[in-house]
Amino acid sequence: MAAIALTNATVFDGRRDEAIPGMNVLVVDGRIEAVTDQSISGKGVTEYDVGGRTLMPGLIDAHAHVFAINLVAEHDRNIPLTEMTARAVPRIRKMLDRGFTSVRDVAGGDVGIRNAIAGGFIPGPRLFVGGPALSQIGGHGDHRSTTDESLDIDLNSSAFYFTCRIVEGVDNLRSVVRNELRKGADHIKVLASGGVGSPTDAIDVPQYSEEEIRTVVREASVRGKYVCAHAYESAAIAHSIRAGVRTIEHANLINSETASMVAAANAFVVPTLVAYEVTAQHGERLGLSPYVMQKLNMVNDAGIVMLGLCEDAGVKLGFGTDLMGDMEFAQLQEFTIRARVQRPVDVLKSATSVNAEIVQRPDLGVIAPGATADIIVVDGDPLKDIAILTEPEKNLRLIMKEGQIYKTDLGAKSA
């Protein structure tokens, strides 16, 4: 039995609006056994005095792409999968270094990389994966050249084709979804509207029919899984919700009526505002086309408005980042961007207990008896100054994933 006591902590549990000082947390064999203001001691217990610092759940990023090694997808065209994986490993490790103990990959991440991390071969956050995102012909995931008529793409030929699959029609979609679920996907992603990074599709055009999306939802739901949809504009969001989609990714151009529709369906919106703000600053230098930059600026301006509309409608807001290539350094900046509109505590809940609900793991994102022991300790009070999370090298004092201490500079005392 491995037992660790984290004592004298100010605990934010991921659910309440306030942090409670003077608390002690006992972790046994990867789970939280007790959260108490009473003394914790005993033979074989290793104690870390938190010194009054904030102890909170490990962070969860619900919209990431661990294999997105380049901002411009075209640059991936001739990169073999083995090279892509090798280049992704440092990205994955840095996510854990920032305090993200779980990450949902929503295009590209597969069961292989998920299992490699779970098996301890690669240090990184726990992954939830969906395999390649599904795109219609001419959709957000169709990056073929004008003269390329081929649809029988070898998904394993290069990094370029690894993150999206072009498939349409009810029968074809049913087969593809069943196959991804056979391999162990945690969720399925459909591309239900145009996007920023794709070279030819308008961002406000809905993609896939409701019947097609409903087929994907049906196949996922009978296996206890769910569907997330890339969608920016209200028409695409509405037809995704009518088809049974559970999480809407981005949603920058949503209107108040559609936000109310999402809330009534008990669905989620996962904003990814940092992706637009940071990419707008660097995208032209890194090779994004003028058309892509134009779309980027449009959704960037609308993102903050979207937060207010969703909050007013009572939509459950997750936390995502969607950072590609060199932009991944800004992962924690999503906290400060969101806090321009939301209370810091609500942003923290998004990145902990709300995201745990999204990934269907109620044992994550909380500090409570029985929960999986994903824990971080930070200097300062992020409920008052959320910006302290953006400097992990300075303020992040302990990272624990499933009861194992990944990193700490706090002194230990063994009983």
Side-chain angles (χ1 to χ4, degrees):
M1 181 180 72
I4 296 173
L6 302 171
T7 60
N8 189 22
T10 301
V11 172
F12 169 64
D13 68 0
R15 292 174 175 158
R16 294 189 179 94
D17 280 357
E18 66 284 327
I20 308 299
M23 301 297 289
N24 305 308
V25 177
L26 178 63
V27 173
V28 178
D29 289 343
R31 291 198 171 267
I32 297 173
E33 184 166 292
V35 182
T36 178
D37 59 1
Q38 302 299 306
S39 175
I40 294 176
S41 61
K43 187 176 181 180
V45 177
T46 301
E47 179 183 344
Y48 292 85
D49 186 346
V50 175
R53 298 177 179 89
T54 301
L55 182 153
M56 58 182 285
L59 305 173
I60 305 172
D61 188 336
H63 191 118
H65 303 283
V66 297
F67 286 133
I69 56 177
N70 286 301
L71 176 63
V72 181
E74 180 64 28
H75 295 170
D76 294 336
R77 187 177 291 276
N78 296 313
I79 298 176
L81 290 182
T82 45
E83 179 184 343
M84 179 186 71
T85 303
R87 291 171 63 178
V89 168
R91 288 171 53 86
I92 293 167
R93 185 182 64 248
K94 288 175 184 176
M95 291 179 181
L96 184 56
D97 289 339
R98 298 183 193 109
F100 288 94
T101 52
S102 293
V103 166
R104 184 179 68 150
D105 186 292
V106 286
D110 69 344
V111 296
I113 195 71
R114 180 193 68 191
N115 296 347
I117 293 171
F121 300 105
I122 299 171
R126 176 187 300 100
L127 285 189
F128 299 90
V129 301
L134 307 182
S135 173
Q136 70 172 47
I137 294 173
H140 180 48
D142 188 348
H143 289 254
R144 294 174 299 160
S145 67
T146 305
T147 57
D148 185 357
E149 298 288 344
S150 174
L151 284 176
D152 57 343
I153 295 168
D154 179 1
L155 291 172
N156 294 312
S157 62
S158 77
F160 183 71
Y161 295 116
F162 194 65
T163 57
C164 294
R165 181 194 295 264
I166 302 170
V167 56
E168 58 180 31
V170 166
D171 290 339
N172 291 336
L173 281 163
R174 182 181 293 114
S175 295
V176 166
V177 170
R178 286 176 176 174
N179 196 47
E180 290 302 324
L181 295 170
R182 174 191 67 83
K183 291 187 286 187
D186 299 301
H187 53 265
I188 299 292
K189 183 181 181 182
V190 296
L191 303 176
S193 82
V196 173
S198 39
T200 59
D201 59 334
I203 206 164
D204 58 346
V205 174
Q207 297 176 4
Y208 280 129
S209 67
E210 283 187 36
E211 182 186 12
E212 287 174 310
I213 298 175
R214 191 172 289 111
T215 298
V216 176
V217 169
R218 186 181 301 116
E219 292 300 323
S221 63
V222 296
R223 294 163 179 81
K225 308 299 182 180
Y226 67 95
V227 175
C228 51
H230 161 106
Y232 280 98
E233 201 269 337
S234 288
I237 296 169
H239 92 203
S240 298
I241 293 297
R242 284 193 295 267
V245 164
R246 186 165 170 267
T247 75
I248 300 294
E249 311 301 308
H250 313 303
N252 293 48
L253 304 176
I254 198 170
N255 60 31
S256 57
E257 179 183 358
T258 310
S260 296
M261 180 182 181
V262 174
N266 200 32
F268 300 81
V269 164
V270 181
T272 58
L273 303 187
V274 66
Y276 317 113
E277 186 160 310
V278 174
T279 307
Q281 297 167 6
H282 302 280
E284 189 172 355
R285 172 180 60 84
L286 293 170
L288 293 182
S289 71
Y291 180 54
V292 169
M293 289 299 296
Q294 177 187 349
K295 293 192 287 183
L296 178 64
N297 291 331
M298 178 174 67
V299 298
N300 192 15
D301 294 341
I304 292 293
V305 176
M306 173 271 295
L307 284 181
L309 289 174
C310 287
E311 280 220 312
D312 290 346
V315 175
K316 293 186 287 187
L317 291 170
F319 179 102
T321 56
D322 194 25
L323 292 162
M324 313 286 183
D326 294 342
M327 303 299 98
E328 54 94 15
F329 75 90
Q331 190 175 24
L332 291 162
Q333 292 180 27
E334 180 76 9
F335 284 104
T336 52
I337 295 171
R338 294 273 294 270
R340 295 172 193 167
V341 174
Q342 297 180 270
R343 298 185 306 165
V345 68
D346 290 329
V347 185
L348 293 173
K349 289 178 184 178
S350 290
T352 54
S353 58
V354 176
N355 273 357
E357 187 179 356
I358 286 175
V359 300
Q360 301 179 306
R361 285 287 300 272
D363 59 309
L364 302 178
V366 293
I367 303 297
T372 295
D374 286 5
I375 295 171
I376 61 173
V377 172
V378 297
D379 279 336
D381 183 357
L383 281 75
K384 294 180 180 177
D385 180 13
I386 204 166
I388 66 172
L389 293 177
T390 65
E391 297 183 275
E393 66 286 345
K394 174 183 175 183
N395 295 321
L396 191 51
R397 306 298 298 276
L398 178 143
I399 303 168
M400 173 184 285
K401 177 187 166 191
E402 207 161 332
Q404 298 293 316
I405 293 180
Y406 170 69
K407 183 177 291 187
T408 190
D409 63 358
L410 301 178
K413 181 175 66 175
S414 298

